[in-house]
Amino acid sequence: MTYEETLQYLYTSTPVFQHNGPSAYKPGLGTTIAIDNHLGNPHKAYKSVHVGGTNGKGSVSHLLAAILRQSGLRVGLYTSPHLVDFRERIRVNGEKIPRTYVVDFVERNRFFLESLHPSFFEVVTGMALAYFRDEQVDYAVIEVGLGGRLDCTNIITPTLSIVTNISLDHTQFLGDTVEKIAAEKAGIIKRGVPFLLGEADTLSVLDVFKRTAEREGAPFYYAREMGLVKKDGCRLTADGKWLIPSEEYGEITDELGGEAQANNAVTVLSALHLLRTKAGVAIPLEAVHEGFGHVTALTGLMGRWQTLRANPTVICDTGHNEGGWRHIAEHLRLLRPRYKRLHLIVGMVSDKDIDSVLALMPTDADYYFTQASVKRAMPAERFAEKAAGHGLHGTTYGTVREAVEQALRHAGADDLVFIGGSTFVVADALPLFNGQ
């Protein structure tokens, strides 16, 4: 098979959550364990860090991978979903998995895999773990796909487990309260393995993680209480970067903008402290500054308050649930005085809590309601109807391309264009700005 034929086979022969949503969700570890055994348990060949949470786990994973790489380690990085290229999911020292490896992996294991009827994510997880072994990585940073307890990445026993935060998302699978979701995500806590919690908005959520860690005999750490960021706090520069006053590494410039990144930075600094003091990983000061300052170039990270062009300023962000949009809405509020008009290109998938997100969107904006090119996308007309119930008005467009073209046509040089609402809207938009 060619690479394109291989991808088509993966997308059509296995259920893909990215495209199909709930019908592709396959809880439980049985199939993943069978694949792992077939491949010779590749995840046991290297050390790993496991990163879960509702929001921020992608940014935290990329930052950790960048810093560990700059510390002289060979580092694998497994994240999901991809935005433009399937190979974004699996990287070693920032380089995407080769097309030839993807083809060879599927051809070598095809008949065994077909006997199991696996999901897309189960196959790709096996591919990632095997690739990291074959590439002889020192560490792999593994992002949880969905939840934690039953997520197929949960077959690993890491050096450090991390949950960034908890908010309502994927409630049909994980539970309809933050406490139930926390219990599912706490499932990545392993016996005796240090566990780090980044944020907890309620004492009840904090208690879920504390109790689980105690039951598993896992040392528990809460980033908010570790005192690794100075009390005067983080602050934004004029060009939208965060200055992080670290106790251990001095003032750090974080390349990533967006309201959520200050919290993510505290989680990352806490994780680095634990990797140094509990796992003996040598992390030079320069590596921390380089990793924070150049994470996009070092890892290929996209879509986190990413500036796509100037005049007008165009920014995209993959925040796609209520927790993510609280940070987006606050950052838009802070930026609003700098711009004459605000243009929002937004769309969402049907299985999200859409009303909770719409309630957070600014009312003083021109809206371009659209839909991404995935089956889960809510039709633009239906999305616009729901938005009108929240006092948000604009025009509907059948594709993200049309919405972007119209927004750029109407926006002045001093305006701000924001693209988001769904990871998949951002995914459709990114190729339109290549080279700009």
Side-chain angles (χ1 to χ4, degrees), residues 132-318:
F132 296 154
R133 175 193 59 196
D134 295 346
E135 286 294 303
Q136 299 181 328
V137 303
D138 302 301
Y139 260 90
V141 180
I142 308 292
E143 180 189 4
V144 174
L146 192 157
R149 181 176 64 93
L150 299 177
D151 185 77
C152 62
T153 64
N154 204 28
I155 64 170
I156 68 174
T157 300
T159 299
L160 174 66
S161 303
I162 302 169
V163 169
T164 55
N165 54 50
I166 298 295
S167 62
L168 292 175
D169 197 16
H170 298 300
T171 54
Q172 66 270 53
F173 309 121
L174 305 180
D176 56 2
T177 68
V178 288
E179 292 79 14
K180 291 177 181 177
I181 292 172
E184 287 296 316
K185 293 185 183 290
I188 70 170
I189 296 175
K190 300 293 195 304
R191 180 157 296 280
V193 175
F195 170 73
L196 172 66
L197 176 63
E199 304 171 68
D201 289 339
T202 66
L203 286 175
S204 58
V205 165
L206 184 61
D207 285 343
V208 168
F209 288 104
K210 282 185 173 180
R211 288 198 307 270
T212 306
E214 183 178 3
R215 185 176 68 243
E216 294 297 329
F220 175 85
Y221 301 90
Y222 185 32
R224 292 292 160 269
E225 296 177 348
M226 291 176 68
L228 297 174
V229 171
K230 294 179 181 177
K231 291 182 179 179
D232 56 353
C234 308
R235 64 189 190 280
L236 275 171
T237 64
D239 58 353
K241 297 180 180 181
W242 283 103
L243 296 179
I244 312 295
S246 164
E247 290 284 358
E248 296 182 313
Y249 300 103
E251 187 167 76
I252 297 167
T253 300
D254 187 350
E255 176 188 17
L256 301 180
E259 188 69 17
Q261 295 302 337
N263 293 329
N264 291 337
V266 175
T267 302
V268 170
L269 289 167
S270 302
L272 295 176
H273 176 83
L274 294 174
L275 288 170
R276 277 195 313 105
T277 60
K278 305 301 178 183
V281 181
I283 303 174
L285 182 147
E286 296 79 8
V288 178
H289 285 267
E290 283 292 312
F292 271 104
H294 304 285
V295 61
T296 56
L298 290 169
T299 66
L301 177 63
M302 297 184 291
R304 273 63 170 188
W305 204 262
Q306 180 179 353
T307 300
L308 300 176
R309 63 170 282 180
N311 302 319
T313 299
V314 180
I315 291 173
C316 69
D317 194 277
T318 54

Side-chain angles (χ1 to χ4, degrees), residues 94-113:
E95 296 297 323
K96 292 179 285 191
I97 184 173
R99 294 184 174 201
T100 53
Y101 191 97
V102 176
V103 173
D104 291 345
F105 179 88
V106 172
E107 288 185 340
R108 285 197 316 271
N109 300 290
R110 177 174 177 176
F111 293 111
F112 174 80
L113 294 171

Side-chain angles (χ1 to χ4, degrees), residues 374-391:
V374 295
K375 293 178 183 178
R376 295 165 61 197
M378 173 170 280
E381 293 78 9
R382 175 61 180 143
F383 186 54
E385 290 174 7
K386 293 181 76 69
H390 294 269

